[in-house]
Amino acid sequence: MPQNREGMPNINQPSGWRKATAGLATAEQLAQAGERVAVPKTQAFVAVKRVGAHIGLKAGDMLLLDTLGAFTQAQDWEEGRRPIVWASNAYLMEQTGFSLSALKRHARRLAEIGVISFKDSPNGKRWGRRDADGVIIEAYGFDLSPLSARVEEFEQLQAELQAERELCQRLKRQITVARRMIRARIEAALSGALRGPWTHLAGVFEDLLSRLPRRNEASQTLERLLGWFKELQERVEAAYLKAARTDKVVENTAETIEHVSEKTQEMNPREVISDPHILITNQLNPVTRNSSEKEEAAGVVPNASPEERVDRELEDWVAEARKKRGAALDLPTVMQACPEFASWAHTMGGFLKDWGDLHRVAGQLRPMIGVSEHAWNLAQDRLGPQIATAALVLTFDKHCAGEVASPGGYLRGMVEKAGAGELHLERSFYGRLSERAA
């Protein structure tokens, strides 16, 4: 055992002359706890890999951990035993490609995080031996028992992280729908020259857009942003409806004045009209046709409450906005409406900046869902690269969601619909976006 200057044993210095830290002490406690439980090696490694990035493990750490795990056997993970690895540095360097300093650095991080523990021999050497049944009799080296002790902790953490990711995705979809509605309202108001504080509202909207996170954020941040967007959406909707009503009143007043002016000119005594007045109409009873009939013909329910009229106006506006927007699908809408494809696309191609990137990644992911190269080439020839890409993205996402059993047949069906003029991809994308935001 190492000794201090007085020749007495140094209880703070472990065997092997390794510098003691709080992290290493915790790892040793976890190793002792792991010895008392039986956890299959596969379960332990799956649990730690799912939360590895969250607890601070890097790619090199995981590579070394995998290499150590391959050295263990199934019986090493049974209760009352410890999965200890005594592979030499030369062997580990050969398997991982690390230098000696990198190997030591990754091993140290694994121990400090509490994933492995060091069991050092008195002389600091790693060695071990097994009996005829393959059970470890004595060993010194890397102890993987902390993994067994932390499996339940890692699985619980993974469930929490998954719930957080799903919540964040739902909040992001709701934010996307809200900002699209706000933008469409403001653009409609400006193009229609409606009266209202549109410049101010557009400025507030741009300020909110600048606050959107460029990377993953906690759900609390997204909830706060969603609240701001919804509040602004309510203000924009109220201003739009108020301006629409005001302009309608002004328009009706102008029509009334013009009509009265015309009647006045007809009754001018300076103009003598001797011909009899003849009423020409295609209506059966023009005298009794009242304002409620006109409203009904215009799509307004007679005697409707103000709330019902507002709802009807909103429904008409949403239908009109979708009709206008559907002519040109944008990349963010496609990715937001198809999260399964987006996840795979980001994994395959990283950041997608334009339709060219999306077309390339879609071609790479095509074989995964069983769409033949012939069907893909046919779709590109008949639909064009961009529409064909959007169609394949939709097919991929629906197949992953269990909505489409035959992706190849579904894609060919869309090509046939396009030939008949019946393909409306924008409806599918905006419909999926609305469903996910609900």
Side-chain angles (χ1 to χ4, degrees):
M1 178 177 293
Q3 297 178 344
N4 57 22
R5 292 180 180 178
E6 289 73 21
M8 299 299 292
N10 188 351
I11 60 175
N12 295 322
Q13 188 76 14
S15 60
W17 299 86
R18 191 182 306 280
K19 183 179 179 180
T21 64
L24 296 183
T26 301
E28 174 56 29
Q29 293 176 356
L30 289 170
Q32 295 174 7
E35 186 179 0
R36 297 191 292 269
V37 297
V39 176
K41 179 173 71 172
T42 302
Q43 181 182 357
F45 273 81
V46 168
V48 71
K49 286 181 179 180
R50 285 178 172 174
V51 299
H54 186 77
I55 63 177
L57 295 179
K58 301 182 183 300
D61 304 332
M62 296 305 302
L63 175 58
L64 177 57
L65 188 62
D66 273 334
T67 305
L68 296 176
F71 199 85
T72 65
Q73 299 180 12
Q75 65 270 18
D76 300 341
W77 297 83
E78 295 177 356
E79 184 179 355
R81 298 172 182 170
R82 290 193 182 190
I84 298 176
V85 177
W86 57 88
S88 66
N89 286 340
Y91 173 82
L92 296 176
M93 291 165 60
E94 179 184 356
Q95 295 297 313
T96 60
F98 294 151
S99 64
L100 181 59
S101 60
L103 176 64
K104 292 181 178 180
R105 182 173 63 254
H106 290 302
R108 185 81 179 193
R109 184 181 292 115
L110 289 172
E112 291 288 351
I113 292 176
V115 176
I116 69 171
S117 177
F118 296 123
K119 186 177 181 182
D120 295 324
S121 64
N123 61 2
K125 302 293 184 179
R126 291 195 291 271
W127 62 276
R129 45 194 188 89
R130 298 176 181 271
D131 61 13
D133 296 327
V135 177
I136 296 176
I137 300 174
E138 185 178 11
Y140 298 94
F142 302 103
D143 189 350
L144 276 59
S145 299
L147 284 179
S148 299
R150 302 187 69 181
V151 163
E152 185 176 350
E153 172 196 346
F154 289 156
E155 291 177 342
Q156 177 63 29
L157 177 59
Q158 194 273 334
E160 294 173 359
L161 292 175
Q162 180 65 25
E164 174 72 5
R165 282 193 292 269
E166 292 176 355
L167 175 58
C168 288
Q169 290 174 357
R170 185 164 62 253
L171 292 172
K172 287 178 181 178
R173 289 194 295 267
Q174 292 176 349
I175 288 175
T176 298
V177 172
R179 66 181 178 84
R180 290 184 182 278
M181 296 291 286
I182 293 170
R183 186 185 297 278
R185 275 298 201 200
I186 292 177
E187 290 178 353
L190 293 175
S191 62
L194 296 181
R195 299 176 180 83
W198 305 115
T199 302
H200 171 71
L201 293 174
V204 175
F205 181 54
E206 293 299 327
D207 178 64
L208 285 182
L209 291 178
S210 66
R211 300 189 184 192
L212 288 174
R214 296 293 181 264
R215 58 185 63 185
N216 292 334
E217 291 285 349
S219 58
Q220 292 84 351
T221 301
L222 295 176
E223 286 177 345
R224 184 166 60 252
L225 281 171
L226 177 60
W228 291 341
F229 273 103
K230 285 190 173 182
E231 180 181 355
L232 178 60
Q233 183 181 358
E234 292 176 359
R235 291 173 58 188
V236 169
E237 294 288 354
Y240 185 88
L241 293 178
K242 179 179 179 181
R245 291 194 190 99
T246 302
D247 279 17
K248 191 172 183 179
V249 171
V250 172
E251 181 182 354
N252 292 340
T253 303
E255 291 178 356
T256 302
I257 294 175
E258 183 179 358
H259 179 69
V260 172
S261 176
E262 291 175 355
K263 286 297 183 181
T264 303
Q265 291 178 4
E266 291 176 2
M267 297 173 63
N268 193 332
R270 291 178 294 180
E271 298 181 5
V272 180
I273 302 176
S274 58
D275 295 336
H277 178 68
I278 301 175
L279 177 63
I280 301 176
T281 179
N282 295 324
Q283 301 173 3
L284 294 177
N285 191 0
V287 178
T288 60
R289 184 175 176 84
N290 54 32
S291 59
S292 64
E293 291 174 331
K294 295 178 182 179
E295 290 180 347
E296 186 174 0
V300 180
V301 180
N303 302 323
S305 66
E307 292 78 6
E308 292 173 337
R309 291 174 182 267
V310 169
D311 291 340
R312 184 60 178 267
E313 290 180 14
L314 283 174
E315 291 176 0
D316 294 341
W317 176 84
V318 170
E320 184 65 23
R322 284 183 176 175
K323 181 179 179 181
K324 292 179 179 179
R325 290 181 299 175
L329 283 170
D330 57 281
L331 194 63
T333 298
V334 172
M335 299 298 279
Q336 287 285 346
C338 300
E340 287 291 339
F341 178 88
S343 176
W344 280 99
H346 289 315
T347 301
M348 295 286 294
F351 177 72
L352 306 182
K353 63 180 182 298
D354 54 30
W355 280 94
D357 290 343
L358 185 62
H359 178 268
R360 172 179 52 81
V361 173
Q364 294 174 348
L365 293 176
R366 168 190 57 79
M368 289 183 55
I369 58 174
V371 174
S372 66
E373 186 174 359
H374 173 72
W376 174 227
N377 291 334
L378 179 64
Q380 294 180 84
D381 291 340
R382 300 285 179 84
L383 305 179
Q386 183 169 324
I387 301 301
T389 299
L392 184 62
V393 169
L394 183 63
T395 303
F396 187 99
D397 205 77
K398 285 194 170 186
H399 178 66
C400 292
E403 301 173 23
V404 171
S406 175
Y410 188 78
L411 183 62
R412 285 191 293 271
M414 285 194 283
V415 172
E416 293 175 358
K417 284 186 176 181
E422 300 175 353
L423 181 65
H424 304 287
L425 275 179
E426 69 282 353
R427 297 180 184 175
S428 299
F429 282 103
Y430 281 107
R432 292 177 75 80
L433 195 63
S434 300
E435 290 174 0
R436 298 181 188 284

